[in-house]
Amino acid sequence: MDLYTRLLLGVTAFAVLGYISFVYGSCSTDPACHFRLCAGGRSFCGVVYGNGQDSRAP
């Protein structure tokens, strides 16, 4: 693997981790934000704004 490929992989990893930390970090400071559960109910599918009643994904 050459230096250019490593650089692109590093930038991509940094961008993905930055995006995830921005979305979930900003949700933790907002009282109207809740984590959305997947259909199985055991894993997170994303975030939803509003009350907790609409926090389950179809």
Side-chain angles (χ1 to χ4, degrees):
M1 198 176 344
D2 62 342
L3 182 63
Y4 185 69
T5 305
R6 288 183 186 197
L7 177 68
L8 288 177
L9 285 173
V11 169
T12 303
F14 182 74
V16 169
L17 290 175
Y19 175 75
I20 290 172
S21 65
F22 174 74
V23 169
Y24 291 109
S26 63
C27 183
S28 67
T29 60
D30 189 1
C33 182
H34 303 284
F35 291 109
R36 183 176 69 187
L37 297 176
C38 291
R42 290 184 288 181
S43 60
F44 295 121
C45 287
V47 294
V48 65
Y49 290 94
N51 58 8
Q53 295 175 352
D54 54 354
S55 64
R56 188 161 298 243

